[in-house]
Amino acid sequence: MDLDAVRTFVAAADAGQFQDAAAALSITQQAVSKRIAALERDLEVRLFTRTARGAQLTIDGQAFLPHARELLRVEARADASVRPGRRALRVDVHSRRTAPAVLLQDFHRAHPRIELDVVTLDADVHAATAAVEAGAVDATFHAVTVPARRLPGAIRTARVIDEHHEVLVGPRHALANARAVTPAQLAEHRIWMPGMAPGTEWADYYDELAAAFRLTIDRVGPVFGNEALLAEIADSSELATLAGERTRYLWPDSYDLRRIPVRDPAPIYPMSLIWRDDNPHPALTKLRDHLDSRRAEAPDTEVWIPTWGTATIPRSRARQ
């Protein structure tokens, strides 16, 4: 069904005159007549009776009018659902526990009128970038381990998160009462991170971290979820795990788990926002500005960044 013809029918019904409907639609009276005639042929009924007073709806026209209005309302809703700035900004955070989700929640507090669709694709950087390129999401957060020249042509990245680490231990662990630990001290302890998939950007990061500081990162064991992992660590005098300082964990008070900063040097997991440069959604620009303003300045303490992290695009060039 031709929605322009439906729109013309509604305008004529409201105006009661084809001439007035033509003026409202900025078309000729002849065009109004042609559209109405085409709609009548399509529906196989007469919609108007022409009289000296103008155009009056027939019984069929009266029956069709509320449905015609609904068709136009549905059209408007469909248009709004995809038009940039009128649909929700769809952002992948990979996990609702980690720094990207925390920062996106902070963005929502600062801009409560911007509608967000927060998703967790559970994908590595390559699959998530493909989702951005395909338009399945507007943006994603990931560590970018390849040079910009090797990314798809429309893809842009900007480093927006430098996530520091904490070691998570139970109350009987040797480090439980430490106020901070160094990577050298961690080399003496088993770090348990089961289920880390090889070939992902986070596996590459921890491989380089382990090699740099001679850490023992144990990936062995089935994955029963974070609750089971925390329970094992709470009950152990030997197990420890690493977590981002903004990663959100909840556990019973009886676990008495300790989160201890890693310093001197402080390992940093660099994460970037990834988006298409031709994405016109206005909220995307606001999100980028917000993340740039919230990014911590260079810390006073010595830091360690993976080799691929040092090659990420500086903030001053991220918009070029």
Side-chain angles (χ1 to χ4, degrees):
M1 187 175 295
D2 184 350
L3 289 179
D4 283 338
V6 173
R7 187 174 294 103
T8 304
F9 163 74
V10 172
D14 290 341
Q17 296 277 352
F18 281 15
Q19 183 177 357
D20 292 343
L25 297 172
S26 299
I27 59 176
T28 65
Q29 184 173 342
Q30 183 181 17
V32 170
S33 299
K34 287 183 176 179
R35 289 181 183 181
I36 297 297
L39 185 61
E40 288 177 329
R41 286 195 301 271
D42 187 35
L43 296 174
E44 298 182 350
V45 296
R46 288 184 63 194
L47 298 172
F48 288 99
T49 297
R50 302 293 291 270
T51 69
R53 295 184 177 181
Q56 292 186 346
L57 289 171
T58 64
I59 294 176
D60 289 320
Q62 293 174 24
F64 181 62
L65 182 60
H67 301 290
R69 295 190 193 281
E70 182 61 23
L71 283 172
L72 298 180
R73 283 192 290 267
V74 170
E75 180 199 25
R77 290 197 297 269
D79 179 78
S81 71
V82 296
R83 190 169 295 279
R86 299 177 69 181
R87 65 165 176 82
L89 183 70
R90 187 174 175 85
V91 183
D92 164 48
V93 295
H94 181 71
S95 170
R96 298 185 191 277
R97 295 183 298 104
T98 55
V102 174
L103 289 176
L104 200 59
Q105 187 175 15
D106 181 53
F107 172 71
H108 176 64
R109 292 192 187 102
H111 302 276
R113 294 192 176 185
I114 293 179
E115 189 176 354
L116 293 175
D117 183 9
V118 183
V119 300
T120 54
L121 295 182
D122 192 22
D124 66 8
V125 62
H126 306 294
T129 300
V132 173
E133 187 180 22
V137 293
D138 291 301
T140 186
F141 292 88
H142 274 275
V144 180
T145 59
V146 299
R149 66 179 181 275
R150 292 176 55 189
L151 295 171
I155 294 297
R156 296 293 179 268
T157 69
R159 187 165 137 196
V160 293
I161 300 173
D162 287 346
E163 183 72 338
H164 288 251
H165 285 286
E166 295 176 333
V167 61
L168 187 60
V169 299
R172 297 189 295 116
H173 195 278
L175 298 174
N177 295 318
R179 298 185 64 178
V181 298
T182 66
Q185 288 175 292
L186 287 182
E188 303 172 6
H189 301 276
R190 176 188 172 201
I191 301 171
W192 192 37
M193 306 184 76
M196 191 186 305
T200 57
E201 70 265 27
W202 43 89
D204 291 345
Y205 170 84
Y206 285 107
D207 283 344
E208 188 171 341
L209 179 66
F213 298 104
R214 299 182 180 179
L215 304 182
T216 301
I217 297 181
D218 186 357
R219 305 179 186 177
V220 177
V223 179
F224 293 109
N226 290 319
E227 293 79 5
L229 174 67
L230 297 177
E232 290 283 349
I233 291 174
D235 195 44
S236 173
S237 61
E238 297 180 356
L239 292 179
T241 195
L242 288 171
E245 64 179 350
R246 282 172 285 197
T247 300
R248 296 181 284 203
Y249 283 118
L250 294 175
W251 57 78
D253 290 341
S254 61
Y255 284 10
D256 194 20
L257 293 173
R258 319 292 171 84
R259 298 183 67 148
I260 306 166
V262 183
R263 297 288 185 266
D264 300 323
I268 284 178
Y269 188 81
M271 300 186 71
S272 296
L273 184 73
I274 304 171
W275 74 96
R276 283 186 64 105
D277 68 343
D278 57 356
N279 187 329
H281 202 302
L284 182 58
T285 300
K286 291 184 179 180
L287 174 61
R288 291 167 55 198
D289 290 341
H290 177 86
L291 293 172
D292 192 58
S293 69
R294 294 298 191 275
R295 185 181 172 193
E297 297 299 326
D300 295 332
T301 57
E302 182 184 358
V303 299
W304 177 88
I305 301 174
T307 53
W308 46 262
T310 59
T312 55
I313 301 172
R315 276 178 290 174
S316 61
R317 295 178 53 202
R319 302 295 178 88
Q320 297 179 5

